[in-house]
Amino acid sequence: MADEAAVGAGVSGAGNGTSRRKMESRRKLLAAARKLFVERGYHDTRPQDISREAGVGHGTFYLHFEDKLDCFLAFTEEAANELDVFVSQNLASAGALDEVIREILRAIFEYSDERPGVLAAALTDVTVFSTGDMSRKMPASRWAQGWTRLLDELQSKGAVAGDIDTRLAGYLIIGAIKQGGAFAARDHIDRDIFIDNMTTLFVRALRTQ
């Protein structure tokens, strides 16, 4: 019995070791992919570049990802989860419509300060490279759906006009934040001024008159 237990423990330990190594190689690949997608963009990053940056064999890449697109989607999922944490923390004390919008915008800037270039890279539209429906996997769609749920809740409380199409509004807000943020960065607009102006714009468009 003791020998059997020892053998069993050895097999279990070997399995755990293999699992840890696999998790570590995936972590390295994702970290490398993030770095290269941010620095070079999706189009100029190749799977072999990611493998080389991660310090693993090229074949290891395909043990974890089907192709570059699959790796990119894993990167965007990771970024989306990280941003969700920032947003949740900022929304903890927000109640009114203008407070909610302002705190979400502030969370986006705080995330971008801590992880420069990640959001811009994650929002790259790669749907044209897939024959399937990828819309639900993309961060822009995920965040637009989050806005939709939030607007639905505020609409039920009378804070958002009843005739607003919240799903359409969610996607329009994401587009406005992306383009507005790029404009603000390019023209070096003061952050607080940008947040105040965007908040005013969204509130006037959404609030019950």
Side-chain angles (χ1 to χ4, degrees):
M1 294 295 292
D3 289 342
E4 290 178 4
V7 171
V11 171
S12 177
N16 289 338
T18 300
S19 179
R20 282 195 295 271
R21 286 194 297 274
K22 188 172 183 180
M23 289 175 61
E24 178 63 14
S25 63
R26 180 180 173 84
R27 185 195 64 76
K28 289 180 178 179
L29 284 165
L30 274 176
R34 173 182 293 228
K35 180 176 184 291
L36 295 178
F37 286 140
V38 169
E39 292 178 354
R40 303 181 184 180
Y42 178 84
H43 303 289
D44 293 328
T45 297
R46 304 173 302 172
Q48 55 264 45
D49 299 327
I50 296 172
S51 301
R52 188 180 303 112
E53 180 70 28
V56 301
H58 185 44
T60 303
F61 178 91
Y62 292 101
L63 293 177
H64 296 278
F65 309 107
E66 293 180 8
D67 50 25
K68 182 174 75 169
L69 181 58
D70 187 38
C71 181
F72 180 79
L73 291 175
F75 152 66
T76 62
E77 177 71 13
E78 188 176 64
N81 288 335
E82 292 169 355
L83 180 58
D84 284 349
V85 173
F86 277 74
V87 171
S88 296
Q89 292 172 345
N90 281 49
L91 284 181
S93 59
L97 175 61
D98 60 328
E99 293 175 346
V100 169
I101 292 173
R102 182 173 284 104
E103 289 308 314
I104 291 177
L105 293 175
R106 199 176 304 281
I108 292 171
F109 274 108
E110 289 173 359
Y111 178 86
S112 296
D113 285 344
E114 190 167 312
R115 296 168 174 80
V118 170
L119 282 185
L123 287 171
T124 301
D125 185 3
V126 296
T127 55
V128 295
F129 299 106
S130 175
T131 56
D133 180 13
M134 286 176 39
S135 60
R136 293 186 179 182
K137 297 181 180 180
M138 300 304 297
S141 294
R142 174 172 171 170
W143 292 325
Q145 290 162 9
W147 273 99
T148 298
R149 289 191 296 272
L150 184 60
L151 294 176
D152 283 340
E153 181 181 346
L154 291 167
Q155 195 175 56
S156 69
K157 297 177 181 178
V160 170
D163 60 350
I164 293 289
D165 182 334
T166 56
R167 186 168 182 270
L168 174 60
Y171 279 90
L172 291 175
I173 288 172
I174 293 300
I177 291 173
K178 180 181 178 181
Q179 297 302 322
F183 167 74
R186 195 167 52 245
D187 282 34
H188 306 290
I189 297 174
D190 179 82
R191 175 176 301 181
D192 290 333
I193 292 176
F194 173 77
I195 290 176
D196 285 343
N197 286 341
M198 288 290 281
T199 299
T200 298
L201 176 68
F202 292 154
V203 168
R204 288 181 178 175
L206 296 168
R207 178 174 285 166
T208 301
Q209 303 300 320

